[in-house]
Amino acid sequence: SASLAHELNQPLGALLMNAQACLRWLNRNPPDLNAAIRAAERTMRDGERASQIVKTTKAMLSRTPIASEKVDLLELVEETRTLLEYEIERQNVSVDLMSPPNLPPANASKSELQQVLINLITNAMQAMEEAGSRVRRISVRLSTSETGFVVMSVSDTGPGLSSEAIENVFEPYFTTKPFGMGMGLAICKSTVESRGGKLSVRNNDNSGATFEIALPVESKGRLTRMYDVPQMVARIG
Ligand code: ADP
């Protein structure tokens, strides 16, 4: 129940906010129909995501979990950024994306991984907001490791984590937020580990935190070439 409440909270909150925005655009004189259409489209996407979460939970409860599939991480990050577009713009955050060319796909579940990324980006935005960070930047870096993993790291320019938080962030119910549930990162960790991956955290040298997800490369039984020089392929946000 705690997991479902936590996971549904974000898309339902976004859905309400987008529906309210849509009404505001329509109530203008004259109405801004293009902005209203965009808000209605975002509302639909939020609804679809909430329904996907219910589907995934039902699949877990019926012991027929979603099978692993080939996940294109670059596409996943771009889609997730679009889903969170409203919040990202509202909070004046920029989201950079770096990836080597021809990044191999990960072997995971796309919808599960999207929830993990949403949690990490939302936490980063909240940390920067709470700390009143002047520079609000999230950098998502994609790479491969020599051990056959495809790696996605999410760094922010927030306050970083205390040593107590570094020790406990992945424990259920650990939270430093007045209205937090402390379930997000515990769910993220078990999701990533259930796909044979790892989730870790460290503080950056200058400021902020970096969460890193490593997932097995989808390799159809052969070892995929490794890349080590990330290249800026897109700057978004
Ligand atoms: P919640 O968001 O409900 O607190 P989470 O499990 O997602 O639950 O996060 C647990 C705690 O980890 C947060 O309360 C916060 O203290 C810390 N945390 C998570 N992400 C970050 C981040 N990017 N920067 C600083 N602290 C973070």
Side-chain angles (χ1 to χ4, degrees), residues 59-117:
M60 266 165 59
L61 294 177
S62 65
R63 293 175 193 275
T64 45
I66 296 171
S68 286
E69 59 193 331
K70 218 171 164 173
V71 184
D72 178 336
L73 293 184
L74 192 57
E75 192 182 282
L76 177 88
V77 179
E78 277 166 349
E79 281 179 21
T80 309
R81 194 256 161 208
T82 309
L83 272 177
L84 297 175
E85 177 176 56
Y86 187 78
E87 250 332 88
I88 290 172
E89 276 168 25
R90 195 177 69 85
Q91 300 212 19
N92 213 5
V93 174
S94 72
V95 181
D96 292 346
L97 169 57
M98 279 161 271
S99 170
N102 310 318
L103 184 85
N107 190 36
S109 147
K110 185 173 175 187
S111 58
E112 281 179 9
L113 202 51
Q114 183 158 63
Q115 280 305 118
V116 172
L117 188 56

Side-chain angles (χ1 to χ4, degrees), residues 123-124 126-127 156 159-161 169 174-177 180-186 209 211:
N123 273 343
Q126 285 173 351
D156 61 61
L161 289 94
V169 269
F174 176 85
T175 183
T176 58
K177 299 174 192 167
M181 275 181 74
M183 285 304 292
L185 290 172
F211 285 83

Side-chain angles (χ1 to χ4, degrees), residues 33-225:
L33 290 184
N34 282 333
I37 288 172
R38 281 199 304 276
E41 283 168 352
R42 285 198 299 266
T43 311
M44 276 178 62
R45 281 200 308 255
D46 296 329
E48 279 162 13
R49 196 148 44 85
S51 128
Q52 183 63 45
I53 291 168
V54 172
K55 236 195 241 166
T56 311
T57 310
K58 275 169 76 179
M60 266 165 59
L61 294 177
S62 65
R63 293 175 193 275
T64 45
I66 296 171
S68 286
E69 59 193 331
K70 218 171 164 173
V71 184
D72 178 336
L73 293 184
L74 192 57
E75 192 182 282
L76 177 88
V77 179
E78 277 166 349
E79 281 179 21
T80 309
R81 194 256 161 208
T82 309
L83 272 177
L84 297 175
E85 177 176 56
Y86 187 78
E87 250 332 88
I88 290 172
E89 276 168 25
R90 195 177 69 85
Q91 300 212 19
N92 213 5
V93 174
S94 72
V95 181
D96 292 346
L97 169 57
M98 279 161 271
S99 170
N102 310 318
L103 184 85
N107 190 36
S109 147
K110 185 173 175 187
S111 58
E112 281 179 9
L113 202 51
Q114 183 158 63
Q115 280 305 118
V116 172
L117 188 56
I118 288 172
N119 271 309
L120 298 183
I121 294 179
T122 306
N123 273 343
M125 287 197 288
Q126 285 173 351
M128 294 188 288
E129 165 97 348
E130 273 166 27
S133 307
R134 214 171 44 84
V135 178
R136 297 189 185 186
R137 191 172 53 242
I138 297 176
S139 305
V140 183
R141 291 188 185 83
L142 304 176
S143 60
T144 47
S145 79
E146 281 173 12
T147 43
F149 286 85
V150 55
V151 179
M152 172 159 64
S153 71
V154 180
S155 305
D156 61 61
T157 53
L161 289 94
S162 66
S163 47
E164 191 211 350
I166 289 259
E167 290 281 307
N168 296 295
V169 269
F170 299 116
E171 296 297 324
Y173 303 109
F174 176 85
T175 183
T176 58
K177 299 174 192 167
F179 301 102
M181 275 181 74
M183 285 304 292
L185 290 172
I187 298 170
C188 290
K189 193 170 170 73
S190 64
T191 303
V192 170
E193 287 178 354
S194 74
R195 299 289 165 185
K198 291 175 207 143
L199 174 62
S200 57
V201 63
R202 60 176 184 274
N203 276 327
N204 302 330
D205 290 339
N206 30 15
S207 72
T210 295
F211 285 83
E212 192 172 279
I213 303 169
L215 286 161
V217 167
E218 212 277 350
S219 61
K220 294 207 185 69
R222 73 192 153 78
L223 265 183
T224 313
R225 213 191 117 207

